[in-house]
Amino acid sequence: MDNDIHGDGLSRNDSDAELFRNVGKQVEDLSLEPGEVSSEGLEDGHDAADNLKIVEEIESLCMNCHEDGTTRLLLTKIPFFREVVLMSFYCDHCHFKSTEVQSAGEIQQQGSKFTLKLDRLQDMERQVVKSDTAVFRLEELEVEVPPGRGKLTNLEGVLAGILSDLERDQKQRKKETPELYEKIDSIVQSLIKMMNGGQFPFTVSLDDPAGNSWLEPSPSDVGSKYRQTQYSRTLEQNATLGLNGGNDEKGANDETHATKEFQEPHNGKTNLTDKPQRIVEGSEVEMCNIPNGVQFTVPTDCPGCTRRAEMNIQQVNIPYFREVYITAVVCTQCGYRTSDVKTGGEIPQKGQKICLVVKGAADLGRDILKSETCRLKIPVLCLEVQPGTMGGRFTTVEGLLVQVKNDLQHNVYRVGDTGGDCVPADQTDVWEDFFHHLDRAIRAEDEYLIILEDALGSSYVQSFTAPDPDPQISITEYERTEEEEEELGLADMRTQRFADGQYVKESAQTTRPETGRDLEKEHLDGQRHLKERTHLEEQKRLAEENTRRIVEMKRQKSSELNTKKNTPQAPSAERPTNDLPAESTKGFTDDADGDFVLV
């Protein structure tokens, strides 16, 4: 367990916090005066020098000259990521040196994949943590860096390493295999253009089955420029990570048959009672008729440790929508837990866009179903959640926004983390401003628009006026793009056969009519009209203020002229000057009649 108590009275989390501290915090401890002792003091008989030592040095064998070299270890924590061990080796005899980074945390319950589309030189500065199990890939060039030594660098450093590896031995290839030389040289030239900014945009991806790699995001990322997805590992990936130990095939089969509890099939289908059932064989699961509202259990393999786990499934009928299946996986071996929502029924011919205007606290309680193929947008926050990022969620509007906030704070910007010394101040201000407005949206203090774009039409927002149209909700349908058809696997689904034997996609009429309203356009038009009305009101206020100032100045000047007429003065040929203070006449001038006019 994570909170086991050690012999010194500290929990494991507290011990890790003492060992893995941010570099900035460790440097602060090194800034003590020579005679000063840190708060941790002279503990356990150690002197101050031992307490301030942050880099461990170990003698180790040099694999180049087989003499003794020095390995230095730094246990630290990367802000907004997790604990790592930085290692460097140097040999005084042959001057061989190398560096490496290894994850000090455990293998995560799911794998992670990061995708970034670079379109400017500043993107080259993004930090990259590549573990020894991660695969880095240049999508356009189809160049792949296989799992190997871990690295802590930026994108420019990764591309420079690829370029250096490709250019190595090119002279020898030119003599021995000219064809291979030409192919590699074309990749090298394209890579040089990418690094110099002459081949934007291009896409890179970082795929780590262990979930211990990371690619830095930016608050300026919009659309599908940056994408982070989590996935369940395959059996082959678990075997590569060494997670198949203890999962004996025979024992697993024995356990499967020992927990087999279902009734005999009747008319080709398995009848389930009101009690939770345990369905075992894959063919039997396919024949099952899942009743509405009945929960049953299916044995499955845990994505985290590959041992036997249980998946609970229940069908729920959402009024005025369709049937959905809520699944939850619980592993008693490693504590892995996850939940997901799947929609049933046919695949519609078109995608669907749902727009909801949140006007008050009552709208936060609306039920909302965001499927794993749904793109979530909140224009006023410049927020866009790509499909597959959060999986399927069946919750309320408030619960969905809170989940978005927690995910961003945990995976992108961990508020309150003491390790923000490596984050630029301008990005910190942008993130804090974003979370401030997100908190206002969670409390419904401002009116805003939520857009759900689902290529499969599997998302849903509760209507308060069903079956009548809700004035705050609009539903429109749109044609799926070729890219969406390809990602969903629909481009190859050709089921209609012509006389010549060729199969094409079967066309069908959609069963879900449009509402006839574009609530997104209405909301944006309303926002624009509000800004225009506010601008006109401000102009009117300024004009009235200027008129009032002109009248006041005329009255003041007239009073001064009357005073001068009643006071004897020496004759003068000069025109009377304006004696008003400079501040009061700023922006005005005298006309031919001596009156003030606005410049």
Side-chain angles (χ1 to χ4, degrees), residues 555-576:
R555 184 181 297 110
Q556 185 177 359
K557 185 172 182 180
S558 176
S559 175
E560 292 180 354
L561 290 176
N562 292 334
T563 303
K564 290 182 179 180
K565 288 180 181 179
N566 297 331
T567 303
Q569 297 181 356
S572 174
E574 297 182 358
R575 184 168 175 257

Side-chain angles (χ1 to χ4, degrees), residues 238-268:
N238 281 323
T240 303
L241 297 175
L243 296 179
N244 279 349
N247 188 15
D248 183 61
E249 184 177 356
K250 182 178 183 301
N253 292 334
D254 293 342
E255 180 185 359
T256 299
H257 292 286
T259 58
K260 184 175 180 180
E261 301 173 7
F262 62 93
Q263 297 179 357
E264 291 295 327
H266 177 66
N267 294 332

Side-chain angles (χ1 to χ4, degrees), residues 224-250:
S224 58
K225 178 176 179 177
Y226 180 90
R227 180 178 296 182
Q228 176 186 357
T229 57
Q230 294 181 331
Y231 60 88
S232 299
R233 288 185 289 267
T234 63
L235 293 177
E236 292 77 9
Q237 290 174 330
N238 281 323
T240 303
L241 297 175
L243 296 179
N244 279 349
N247 188 15
D248 183 61
E249 184 177 356
K250 182 178 183 301

Side-chain angles (χ1 to χ4, degrees), residues 170-336:
Q170 272 292 82
K171 294 182 179 180
Q172 186 177 356
R173 293 192 192 99
K174 188 175 183 180
K175 297 178 181 178
E176 298 178 355
T177 54
E179 296 180 357
L180 180 59
Y181 167 81
E182 293 294 337
K183 293 181 180 180
I184 295 180
D185 185 66
S186 62
I187 297 177
V188 168
Q189 298 303 322
S190 299
L191 189 57
I192 293 175
K193 291 181 181 179
M194 288 180 175
M195 296 182 63
N196 294 331
Q199 201 166 330
F200 285 139
F202 62 92
T203 305
V204 300
S205 64
L206 183 64
D207 190 353
D208 188 1
N212 287 325
S213 295
W214 182 67
L215 179 59
E216 180 185 3
S218 173
S220 60
D221 294 337
V222 294
S224 58
K225 178 176 179 177
Y226 180 90
R227 180 178 296 182
Q228 176 186 357
T229 57
Q230 294 181 331
Y231 60 88
S232 299
R233 288 185 289 267
T234 63
L235 293 177
E236 292 77 9
Q237 290 174 330
N238 281 323
T240 303
L241 297 175
L243 296 179
N244 279 349
N247 188 15
D248 183 61
E249 184 177 356
K250 182 178 183 301
N253 292 334
D254 293 342
E255 180 185 359
T256 299
H257 292 286
T259 58
K260 184 175 180 180
E261 301 173 7
F262 62 93
Q263 297 179 357
E264 291 295 327
H266 177 66
N267 294 332
K269 293 184 179 180
T270 302
N271 297 324
L272 301 178
T273 63
D274 293 339
K275 297 181 180 180
Q277 300 296 313
R278 197 178 297 267
I279 311 301
V280 181
E281 305 294 344
S283 59
E284 293 167 345
V285 174
E286 295 176 358
M287 294 188 298
C288 286
N289 182 18
I290 304 177
N292 185 26
V294 178
Q295 176 184 335
F296 64 98
T297 304
V298 177
T300 184
D301 292 329
C302 173
C305 65
T306 72
R307 293 181 174 86
R308 185 63 61 192
E310 293 182 349
M311 175 186 293
N312 299 321
I313 304 177
Q314 182 172 350
Q315 176 182 320
V316 178
N317 186 13
I318 300 179
Y320 309 106
F321 185 55
R322 63 173 75 169
E323 295 82 11
V324 299
Y325 299 91
I326 302 177
T327 64
V329 177
V330 180
C331 179
T332 58
Q333 302 292 331
C334 65
Y336 175 83

Side-chain angles (χ1 to χ4, degrees), residues 149-168:
R149 190 179 63 182
K151 293 182 180 179
L152 173 59
T153 178
N154 56 16
L155 284 175
E156 184 179 5
V158 176
L159 298 182
I162 297 175
L163 180 62
S164 176
D165 292 340
L166 291 177
E167 288 181 335
R168 189 180 305 164

Side-chain angles (χ1 to χ4, degrees), residues 272-502:
L272 301 178
T273 63
D274 293 339
K275 297 181 180 180
Q277 300 296 313
R278 197 178 297 267
I279 311 301
V280 181
E281 305 294 344
S283 59
E284 293 167 345
V285 174
E286 295 176 358
M287 294 188 298
C288 286
N289 182 18
I290 304 177
N292 185 26
V294 178
Q295 176 184 335
F296 64 98
T297 304
V298 177
T300 184
D301 292 329
C302 173
C305 65
T306 72
R307 293 181 174 86
R308 185 63 61 192
E310 293 182 349
M311 175 186 293
N312 299 321
I313 304 177
Q314 182 172 350
Q315 176 182 320
V316 178
N317 186 13
I318 300 179
Y320 309 106
F321 185 55
R322 63 173 75 169
E323 295 82 11
V324 299
Y325 299 91
I326 302 177
T327 64
V329 177
V330 180
C331 179
T332 58
Q333 302 292 331
C334 65
Y336 175 83
R337 291 175 177 267
T338 184
S339 60
D340 200 359
V341 179
K342 303 287 186 181
T343 57
E346 64 179 6
I347 297 178
Q349 191 71 10
K350 296 182 180 181
Q352 186 183 75
K353 181 172 70 174
I354 304 176
C355 297
L356 168 66
V357 177
V358 179
K359 295 184 177 181
D363 296 321
L364 297 177
R366 292 178 185 260
D367 291 336
I368 186 170
L369 170 62
K370 177 198 169 296
S371 71
E372 59 183 3
T373 59
C374 175
R375 177 181 287 105
L376 171 66
K377 295 181 179 179
I378 304 181
V380 71
L381 298 177
C382 298
L383 173 66
E384 183 170 340
V385 181
Q386 296 298 318
T389 303
M390 298 175 57
R393 288 289 185 273
F394 184 34
T395 176
T396 61
V397 173
E398 182 181 8
L400 184 62
L401 296 180
V402 171
Q403 182 68 39
V404 170
K405 176 184 176 181
N406 293 337
D407 289 348
L408 288 176
Q409 288 183 342
H410 179 72
N411 297 324
V412 179
Y413 187 86
R414 198 168 298 168
V415 175
D417 195 341
T418 59
D421 54 304
C422 70
V423 179
D426 55 346
Q427 291 194 15
T428 302
D429 295 338
V430 171
W431 280 114
E432 291 179 352
D433 181 69
F434 168 79
F435 285 116
H436 170 72
H437 287 87
L438 182 57
D439 288 334
R440 292 181 60 88
I442 294 175
R443 297 189 295 268
E445 296 181 1
D446 301 318
E447 180 178 320
Y448 56 94
L449 179 69
I450 295 179
I451 304 175
L452 301 176
E453 292 183 0
D454 196 332
L456 292 181
S458 301
S459 296
Y460 161 82
V461 176
Q462 180 186 7
S463 172
F464 287 160
T465 61
D468 298 329
D470 193 320
Q472 295 179 225
I473 299 177
S474 71
I475 303 176
T476 56
E477 294 181 341
Y478 65 92
E479 295 289 343
R480 285 188 288 262
T481 63
E482 295 182 359
E483 182 181 357
E484 290 176 334
E485 293 272 348
E486 188 70 27
E487 290 181 355
L488 296 173
L490 301 178
D492 298 329
M493 295 183 64
R494 300 179 175 89
T495 58
Q496 185 175 1
R497 184 179 181 182
F498 284 172
D500 58 357
Q502 181 181 2

